[in-house]
Amino acid sequence: MKNTVQVGLIGFGTVGSGLAEVLLSQQHRLAKRTGMTIRLAKVADINIDSLPPQFSDVSLTRDAAELIDDPGIDIVVELIGGIEPAKTFVMQAIAAGKHVVTANKALLSQEGRDIFTAAAEKGVEVGFEASVGGGIPVIKSLREGLVANRILAITGIMNGTANYILTRMTDEGIPFAAVLKDAQEQGFAEADPTYDVEGIDTAHKLAILMTMAYGMHITHNEIPTEGISRVEPVDIEFAREFGCRIKLLAISRNHGDSVEAHIHPTMVPESHLLAKIDGAFNAIHFTGDMVGNVLFYGLGAGKMPTGSAVAADVVDIARNIRAGSVGRVPPLSYLPREIGDRRITPLDELCCPYYFRISARDEPGVLAAIAGILSHHGISIESVIQKGRRESVPVSIVMRTHSARESAVKGALAEIDTLEVVTEPTVKIRFLDEEPC
Ligand code: HSE
């Protein structure tokens, strides 16, 4: 019976060094829990010349092939991120018969089909717990804890950076650009924040969850995605008046023959649990047909939380190696042959209540003209707010509609924005609707 499992790590950045620290500091606990020594044996990284002194027994190389081709390495952990050379390293490791662990959501959401197919053919495991929700054990929970459920919906805050920025905008009333700049200076946001603030990172994560939840092929670029960079403090203020907070949500619903998936700033009622998720925290909510509603909450990023999630995959694989049960649990929950194509509902078919902020000159008949256009498109108004009266500057006319189709909303706003009295493009934000039409 195998007593030692050797790990090769590609990428000694924030998460890689976190994994190394977790494996070292928890070595005795992991031995008590697995009956094995799980040992970080080799690190490959082109950006460092030495490892910290506590890792003096770990060898360091600049060449990933040195650990991929090392017959003593059982598990290759890829933590460099991005598509290439990460995909090449992962495919080479699989071809060499190594089990693979990765935190790389961009890679899995774009190239996952090739990777999981190759791994199944080779009979090796792929662990990816850290790819969604950082330290939150959401992947294993979905795959195993919720295995007896048809997943009906996934709703979540899956990006800590965006949630941190929205929380500060909400609490301090300051604009997006100022919070982002401050977050970057303090190291809470990347120098290039595009993936985080434009919802792309969230789309990567939702695509992975949808594949597992519904047994379907989907890549992140099939998910309509809108980020938070155009959210303004005034919209956050009006959200309060409607009893809501604005959150960047990933929303997906399983309609049987089709599935819904979209990511955008969303008006979330203050009473909803997701409205209470603040700062850099993530929360992922599943609805299962047997279990009902389940919420996972925790840190979606960071060295030690993410290191903990990567280590959990390493331990799972180590246990399977020891028990001779590699392949017992399909990584995507469904057997590979059961994963198929499903129709993704076009955004135009989406139906939910909408928030509109229309900038218009304050003149008699303006509201009637706007209401007329909305009525013509079959959109019913639930409430209207117009603050103050100013002769010389445009005012904000803010509305909440009843549930309406996205296609009708687009048509109506295109007409409203051509009205001579309307001075800026209308802002629209979707409300979270638990029972869409
Ligand atoms: N950049 C991500 C976030 C963490 O801000 O949540 C890694 O997925």
Side-chain angles (χ1 to χ4, degrees), residues 36-229:
M36 281 177 288
T37 301
I38 297 175
R39 184 173 168 260
L40 179 61
K42 270 191 183 170
V43 170
D45 194 305
I46 52 170
N47 296 317
I48 54 172
D49 296 323
S50 63
L51 292 169
Q54 65 270 35
F55 304 115
S56 56
D57 65 335
V58 180
S59 58
L60 176 65
T61 171
R62 298 177 72 80
D63 182 5
E66 259 190 54
L67 61 85
I68 291 170
D69 297 335
D70 181 341
I73 298 289
D74 303 289
I75 303 171
V76 170
V77 180
E78 178 278 306
L79 294 176
I80 54 176
I83 305 297
E84 283 297 351
K87 183 178 179 186
T88 298
F89 293 154
V90 165
M91 295 301 273
Q92 286 173 343
I94 291 169
K98 311 289 188 206
H99 306 286
V100 170
V101 176
T102 177
N104 193 332
K105 59 248 164 196
L107 178 64
L108 293 181
S109 63
Q110 188 175 308
E111 306 291 329
R113 210 163 161 172
D114 289 353
I115 292 167
F116 289 109
T117 303
E121 281 168 5
K122 197 72 187 175
V124 297
E125 305 245 18
V126 180
F128 53 100
E129 182 61 68
S131 64
V132 182
I136 311 169
V138 68
I139 294 290
K140 193 176 174 81
S141 301
L142 178 58
R143 184 197 289 133
E144 298 178 42
L146 298 177
V147 69
N149 283 262
R150 176 169 180 252
I151 303 298
L152 304 172
I154 307 167
T155 318
I157 293 170
M158 301 185 194
N159 186 276
T161 306
N163 201 48
Y164 171 86
I165 292 173
L166 283 176
T167 302
R168 286 198 53 197
M169 288 176 71
T170 303
D171 292 348
E172 299 167 38
I174 38 181
F176 169 83
V179 182
L180 174 62
K181 186 165 176 284
D182 192 50
Q184 285 171 319
E185 281 165 8
Q186 293 190 48
F188 289 121
E190 305 274 350
D192 180 357
T194 312
Y195 273 32
D196 289 326
V197 302
E198 296 304 347
I200 301 159
D201 174 77
T202 301
H204 291 151
K205 293 165 178 169
L206 183 60
I208 293 170
L209 293 180
M210 288 175 68
T211 301
M212 298 179 70
Y214 311 140
M216 67 181 285
H217 297 296
I218 180 167
T219 57
H220 69 92
N221 41 30
E222 293 172 83
I223 302 175
T225 299
E226 186 186 319
I228 61 164
S229 56

